């Protein structure tokens, strides 16, 4: 979680992680704008650099070589990163609508989502072809095709629809890679056949005749069948149908033509061109709304048509960043002047490239090496991030942000010295508005709660039931308040489920940083919406709480549950028995991963995977464990795996044998601890190493430090009878815990002071 000394005065929202926006994020990181909260919304964590994608397909680059890590870049820029799908805009209230979660407010909005082949316009294309964008979806299909070719025994035809530079590069790169894959396996590359179809009368229509002729020769020499005047009007399984009645058999079809804007744009009321792209002026503002900007492929430059090429998106980045600043400050905007001619470096798949600029054209292996140097230099801006983002002299103070008179008065209040005691509570009107849209689950045993607020909640204890109480509270470690609310609620419910109890009610305690009322209200709405969704799914009613101001966003819950009064079914820590098997339902590593995230050292996809694990409820897992006779159970939290295992073994007077190699581990966790990055709580947990009988033999094992790694919303650690273990693991996998593993066993007691034995 990024902590700022400045209250939030303005919201800048960037929709899409395209080339222009990554430049904007880096520039904002190097020169922060005080009082500005930046939010990046994107469906993917990794965004591809289009200039290097053909090299990735050819096998010259790895996935990480050609992708910019948006999660890491956003953290570096102190921007919130929200991984979500945009469904529209509420321009009247200046909010971005998202699928499955609350909308996000903006003062300024910028759109850089790129373009997508519009397969919906051709019958059957959506069902029977693979659009090359969005790249994340295409990449999975490409990996599937690679795997298919490696098992290939019969001929296979690959068709590419689209004769521009993208289609030509794609077919040549795929052919180069797939033929080499077959050759490496000792099979004939002639099993593969490639076809390129274009509706025009030539390939590469925007390039000069010499460049077109050179690529025509390359395609001919490589055996790629090129068909011009072949406008595909229908796609059926295994066949492409063209307007002139021709049919082309194909086993795999890639679509690189008829690009359009996102499907949600027409509903926004923004002026769009015939292809669904946003009309923008020379300042990169939309013609319809001065508070909305657009850049890259999704933008249609009204001064003159621009080709959908990455070079324009990259060069729009600096003027876009400057104009966003100027608009926030209420200052004049600068004009973007696109170059009339640009250098295109088009690869042929085999570390050879052709340069095209106007009437000029030249080629060679040296051109590919030149292109490689240019591309790698661009990518280093986003992979080799400075240790910290310095504020350059002359950065605008908060007062230079353009505020209305009413907002200025609020800003003065927000910046002034804050009161303590009850004076630090969040205002009643803000709370009423923020929480008014929440709909906590209704329970008959909640007599007084949020549906009828009073000084305290009143809940009925069901007959024959005993109450179970727990509390958890921590500050935010991510910048997405909705996800943080989900994790915090899930973490608080963990103890209830681990005990075998049913959650009944929860009271919340939250701190939020001071700021303008609108920003504080939205922050509360986002966070509590995420939390209430988790509580409702557990059948747990939010009945009240307390919200105050603090330097950092933080959230916790006191949760009440109930269980049979005779304690039947209670799953305690201390019920383990010799011969039991140890199970763990979720992978470990959240502590080191989020410590690395705070240092901009964790990959965005590692953090994304960790969050998916953290929002996975333990409720179903606890039920499965009870059904399979679990003798003891606990949820993994701050004490780490070893700390919680000791809590299980010592009360029972038993030992445990723990298999390090069997531990399920989150992606990136081993890399982070090997880099020396650990949670601030880790040193305290390491003191428990005295519980290990033979630690010396395993200290060099890369998973050893993860024994002490504190977990947030971790999985369930349980002991089950040996004859139930395999069935229990299978049931947990089926219940949505795919990483569940047998990690050890319980042995007889030998020395209560050394209860854990490690094994490889």
């Amino acid at each position: 979680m990024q902590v700022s000394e400045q209250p939030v005065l303005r919201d800048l929202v960037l929709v899409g992680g395209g080339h222009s926006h990554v430049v904007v994020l880096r520039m904002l990181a190097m020169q922060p704008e005080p009082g500005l909260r930046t939010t990046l919304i994107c469906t993917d964590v990794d965004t591809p650099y289009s200039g290097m994608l053909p090299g990735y397909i050819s096998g010259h680059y790895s996935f990480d070589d050609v992708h910019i890590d948006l999660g890491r870049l956003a953290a570096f820029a102190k921007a919130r990163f929200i991984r979500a799908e945009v469904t529209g805009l509420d321009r009247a209230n200046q909010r971005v609508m998202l699928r499955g979660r609350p909308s996000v407010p903006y003062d300024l909005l910028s759109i850089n989502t790129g373009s997508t082949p519009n397969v919906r316009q051709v019958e059957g294309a959506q069902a029977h072809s693979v659009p090359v964008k969005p790249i994340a979806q295409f990449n999975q299909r490409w990996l599937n095709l690679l795997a298919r070719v490696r098992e290939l025994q019969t001929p296979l035809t690959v068709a590419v629809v689209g004769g521009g530079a993208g289609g030509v590069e794609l077919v040549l790169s795929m052919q180069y890679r797939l033929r080499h894959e077959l050759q490496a396996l000792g099979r004939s590359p002639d099993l593969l056949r490639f076809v390129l179809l274009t509706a025009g009368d030539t390939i590469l229509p925007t390039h000069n005749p010499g460049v077109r002729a050179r690529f025509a020769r390359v395609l001919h020499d490589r055996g790629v069948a090129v068909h011009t005047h072949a406008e595909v009007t229908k796609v059926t399984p295994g066949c492409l149908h063209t307007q002139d009645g021709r049919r082309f058999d194909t086993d795999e079809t890639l679509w690189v033509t008829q690009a359009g804007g996102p499907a949600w744009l027409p509903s926004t009321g923004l002026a769009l061109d015939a292809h669904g792209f946003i009309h923008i002026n020379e300042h990169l503002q939309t013609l319809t709304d001065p508070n909305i900007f657009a850049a890259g492929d999704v933008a249609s430059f009204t001064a003159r048509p621009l080709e959908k090429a990455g070079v324009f998106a990259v060069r729009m980045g600096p003027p876009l960043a400057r104009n966003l600043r100027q608009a926030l400050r209420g200052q004049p905007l600068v004009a973007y002047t696109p170059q009339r001619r640009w250098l295109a470096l088009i690869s042929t798949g085999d570390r050879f490239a052709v340069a095209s600029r106007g009437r000029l054209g030249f080629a060679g292996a040296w051109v590919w090496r030149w292109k490689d140097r240019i591309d790698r230099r661009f990518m280093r801006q986003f992979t080799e991030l400075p240790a910290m983002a310095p504020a350059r002299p002359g950065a605008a103070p908060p007062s230079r942000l353009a505020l209305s008179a009413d907002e200025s008065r609020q800003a003065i209040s927000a910046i002034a010295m804050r009161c303590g005691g009850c004076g630090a509570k969040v205002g009643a009107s803000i709370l009423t508005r923020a929480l008014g849209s929440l709909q906590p689950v209704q329970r008959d045993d909640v007599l007084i709660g949020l549906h009828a607020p009073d000084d305290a909640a009143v809940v009925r204890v069901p007959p024959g039931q005993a109450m179970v109480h727990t509390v958890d509270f921590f500050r935010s470690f991510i910048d997405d308040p909705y996800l943080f609310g989900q994790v915090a609620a899930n973490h608080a419910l963990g103890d209830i489920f681990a005990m075998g109890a049913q959650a009944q009610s929860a009271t919340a305690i939250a701190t939020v940083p001071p700021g303008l009322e609108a920003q504080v209200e939205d922050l509360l709405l986002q966070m509590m919406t995420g939390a209430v969704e988790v509580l409702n799914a557990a059948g747990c009613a939010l009945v009240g709480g307390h919200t105050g101001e603090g330097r950092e966003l933080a959230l916790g819950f006191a949760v009440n549950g109930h269980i049979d009064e005779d304690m039947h079914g209670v799953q305690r820590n201390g019920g383990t028995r010799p011969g039991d098997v140890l199970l763990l339902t979720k992978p470990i590593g959240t502590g080191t991963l989020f410590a690395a995230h705070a240092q901009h050292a964790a990959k965005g996809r590692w953090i994304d995977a960790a969050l998916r694990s953290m929002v996975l409820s333990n409720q179903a897992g606890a039920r499965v464990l009870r059904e399979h006779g679990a003798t003891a159970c606990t949820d993994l939290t701050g004490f780490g795996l070893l700390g919680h295992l000791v809590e299980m073994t010592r009360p029972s007077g038993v030992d445990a044998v723990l298999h390090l190699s069997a531990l399920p581990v989150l992606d990136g966790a081993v890399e982070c601890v090997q880099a020396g990055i650990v949670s601030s709580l880790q040193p305290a947990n390491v003191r428990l190493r005295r519980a290990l009988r033979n630690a010396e033999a395993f200290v060099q094992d890369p998973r050893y430090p993860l024994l002490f790694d504190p977990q947030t919303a971790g999985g369930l650690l349980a002991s089950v009878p040996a004859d139930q273990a395999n069935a229990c693991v299978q049931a947990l996998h089926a219940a949505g815990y795919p990483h569940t593993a047998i990690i050890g066993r319980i042995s007889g007691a030998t020395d209560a002071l050394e209860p854990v034995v490690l094994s490889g």
Side-chain angles (χ1 to χ4, degrees):
M1 178 70 184
Q2 308 293 342
V3 179
S4 174
E5 299 297 334
Q6 296 286 346
V8 176
L9 306 179
R10 277 285 188 262
D11 273 302
L12 167 64
V13 175
L14 308 177
V15 172
H19 297 3
S20 303
H21 277 174
V22 297
V23 173
V24 169
L25 281 170
R26 195 179 194 283
M27 294 182 72
L28 288 174
M30 300 311 295
Q31 186 181 350
E33 196 74 13
L36 177 66
R37 178 170 63 188
T38 302
T39 302
L40 173 66
I41 303 174
C42 193
T43 56
D44 301 311
V45 176
D46 297 291
T47 189
Y49 174 48
S50 60
M52 298 178 77
L53 277 173
Y56 168 67
I57 299 298
S58 296
H60 307 318
Y61 301 123
S62 70
F63 181 91
D64 286 335
D65 287 336
V66 305
H67 285 81
I68 297 169
D69 188 332
L70 292 178
R72 183 167 173 258
L73 179 61
F76 171 68
K78 294 182 170 57
R80 299 193 302 183
F81 177 55
I82 294 178
R83 188 178 183 188
E85 178 186 354
V86 174
T87 59
L89 302 179
D90 177 359
R91 287 175 43 221
N93 294 301
Q94 296 194 182
R95 301 189 75 90
V96 180
M97 313 303 290
L98 304 177
R99 188 176 304 283
R101 55 176 292 161
S103 59
V104 173
Y106 66 86
D107 294 291
L108 280 186
L109 173 68
S110 180
I111 304 172
N112 181 212
T113 55
S115 60
T116 302
N118 198 348
V119 291
R120 292 185 297 271
Q121 292 183 351
V122 176
E123 181 183 350
Q126 189 166 11
H128 305 299
S129 69
V130 181
V132 295
K133 296 180 181 180
I135 295 297
Q137 296 177 21
F138 166 75
N139 183 58
Q140 189 54 55
R141 290 293 294 268
W142 164 242
L143 295 177
N144 293 342
L145 179 58
L146 266 176
R148 181 180 177 185
V149 168
R150 288 167 182 151
E151 301 297 325
L152 194 63
Q153 300 296 332
T154 57
L156 180 139
T157 299
V158 179
V160 174
V161 179
V168 170
E169 279 192 302
L170 178 63
V171 73
L172 289 172
S173 298
M174 285 197 305
Q175 188 202 47
Y176 176 84
R177 176 71 176 277
L178 296 178
R179 286 179 63 89
H180 277 73
E181 289 286 335
L182 286 179
Q183 287 174 329
L185 294 169
R187 296 203 295 275
S188 172
D190 294 333
L191 287 171
L192 296 166
R193 180 171 177 263
F194 293 86
V195 180
L196 179 69
L197 289 82
T198 180
D201 57 3
T202 182
I203 60 170
L204 301 168
T206 61
H207 296 271
N208 66 64
V211 170
R212 293 200 296 267
R214 184 184 293 273
F215 273 99
R217 289 195 300 272
V218 171
L219 290 164
H220 178 269
D221 293 344
R222 302 265 184 93
V224 177
V226 178
H227 299 276
T228 57
H229 302 288
E231 181 180 354
V232 178
T233 56
K234 184 179 179 181
V235 184
T236 57
C239 188
L240 301 175
H241 305 257
T242 62
Q243 189 177 38
D244 57 8
R246 285 179 286 174
R247 296 163 55 110
F248 297 91
D249 293 335
T250 176
D251 298 294
E252 193 81 28
T253 300
L254 291 304
W255 206 269
V256 201
T257 189
Q258 295 177 325
W264 53 268
L265 275 179
S267 66
T268 63
L270 297 173
L272 308 178
D273 69 11
H275 299 287
F277 297 120
I278 306 170
H279 277 302
I280 60 170
N281 61 22
E282 69 277 11
H283 300 133
L284 307 180
Q285 280 176 310
T286 66
L287 303 186
T288 314
D289 191 330
N291 291 322
I292 301 178
F293 292 70
D297 285 1
V298 78
S300 178
F301 196 61
T302 54
R304 64 180 177 90
L306 299 178
E307 187 174 343
K308 301 301 181 185
V311 62
F312 292 112
V314 170
R315 295 193 180 186
M316 284 180 182
L320 176 62
R322 182 173 178 183
N323 279 341
L324 292 172
R325 286 188 199 274
Q326 297 292 89
L328 288 163
R329 299 174 181 179
Q331 296 176 352
L333 307 185
V334 299
Y336 161 68
T337 305
Q339 63 271 42
R340 288 284 175 181
R341 295 179 180 177
W342 68 95
L343 180 67
L345 301 175
I346 309 169
S347 63
T348 59
D350 55 350
R351 296 183 185 267
F352 189 96
V354 178
S356 173
R357 185 177 189 273
R359 297 180 180 179
L360 297 177
F362 47 91
W366 70 271
V367 178
W368 191 91
R369 292 192 295 271
W370 180 33
K371 170 179 165 54
D372 176 64
R373 286 195 296 273
I374 293 172
D375 291 340
R376 289 184 184 274
R377 183 170 64 243
F378 174 78
M379 291 295 288
R380 279 197 294 271
Q381 299 177 77
F382 309 102
T383 57
E384 299 178 5
L385 301 174
M388 60 184 297
R392 296 199 318 216
S399 59
R400 289 181 61 187
L401 287 176
L403 301 175
S404 68
D406 182 59
E407 289 173 327
S408 295
R409 286 191 293 271
Q410 288 191 43
I412 292 171
S413 173
I415 296 170
M417 182 178 293
R418 312 305 294 173
C419 294
C422 280
K425 296 176 73 171
V426 171
S429 59
I430 298 176
L431 276 175
T432 299
R433 292 193 302 266
L435 304 182
S437 61
L438 300 181
Q439 296 182 334
V441 66
Q442 298 295 311
R443 293 182 59 108
D444 293 338
D445 51 7
V446 175
L447 307 181
I448 297 177
L450 286 182
H451 65 286
D454 212 308
D455 289 341
V458 178
V459 298
R460 179 190 298 117
V461 180
Q465 300 284 294
M467 295 300 296
V468 181
H469 301 282
T470 186
V471 63
D472 272 295
F473 178 84
F474 46 76
R475 66 178 185 268
S476 182
F477 51 92
I478 52 174
D479 290 298
D480 183 339
Y482 171 80
L483 266 183
F484 173 57
Q486 289 189 316
V487 172
N490 204 29
H491 183 89
L493 289 166
D495 287 332
I496 297 290
F497 299 145
M499 292 287 292
Q502 298 296 315
Q504 181 188 34
S505 64
T507 50
I509 183 165
T511 61
V512 294
L516 297 183
E517 282 192 3
Q519 275 76 20
V520 174
E521 177 185 334
D522 180 71
L523 190 60
L524 274 173
L525 172 65
Q526 299 277 340
M527 181 171 68
M528 294 310 300
T529 298
V532 167
E533 286 180 3
V534 170
L535 294 172
N536 285 357
C540 182
L542 180 67
V543 295
H546 175 89
T547 305
E549 290 183 346
R551 182 169 177 266
E552 299 176 84
L553 185 67
L555 179 63
F557 295 91
V559 183
N560 299 320
H562 52 78
I563 201 162
D564 288 345
E565 197 171 47
D566 60 6
M567 302 294 283
H568 176 72
V570 174
Q571 295 181 153
R572 303 187 65 177
N573 288 346
T576 55
R577 300 174 303 198
D580 284 349
V581 170
L582 287 171
L583 301 184
L584 182 60
T585 63
K586 289 188 190 181
I588 59 176
T590 62
T592 181
L593 283 169
F594 284 95
H597 179 60
Q599 300 178 34
H600 313 141
K603 295 183 186 298
R605 61 179 179 271
W606 295 348
I607 298 302
D608 188 62
L611 287 169
R612 288 199 303 272
S613 177
M614 294 162 81
V615 299
L616 176 62
S617 171
N618 283 329
Q619 187 172 21
R623 184 185 66 249
V624 171
L625 288 166
R626 287 197 304 274
E627 291 171 352
H628 288 80
T631 55
C633 184
T634 187
D635 63 323
L636 290 195
T637 55
F639 296 150
L641 175 60
L642 182 62
H644 288 285
L645 181 56
V646 168
E647 286 185 338
M648 292 174 67
T649 56
R650 283 185 174 169
S652 303
V654 296
D655 283 359
V657 177
L658 194 61
H659 308 314
L660 273 181
S661 61
L663 295 182
V665 174
L666 287 164
D667 288 345
V670 170
E671 289 88 337
C672 290
V673 294
Q674 286 183 323
I677 303 173
V678 296
S679 166
S680 57
L681 185 57
Q682 176 116 347
N685 288 349
V686 168
R687 295 169 188 164
L688 283 171
R689 66 183 181 274
R690 63 182 180 273
L692 296 170
R693 182 165 304 143
N694 57 337
E696 298 80 6
F698 292 91
V699 291
Q700 300 304 317
D701 189 298
R703 298 189 181 208
Y704 174 79
L706 294 174
L707 294 175
F708 313 100
D709 189 59
Q711 304 302 291
T712 301
L716 296 171
L717 175 64
S719 57
V720 298
D723 60 356
Q724 290 289 315
N726 290 331
C728 187
V729 170
Q730 292 176 8
L732 285 163
H733 287 171
Y737 304 88
H739 298 95
T740 299
I742 295 174
I743 64 167
R745 58 183 173 81
I746 302 299
S747 62
T750 56
D751 187 341
L753 296 178
E754 297 179 338
V756 180
V757 179
L758 295 179
S759 80

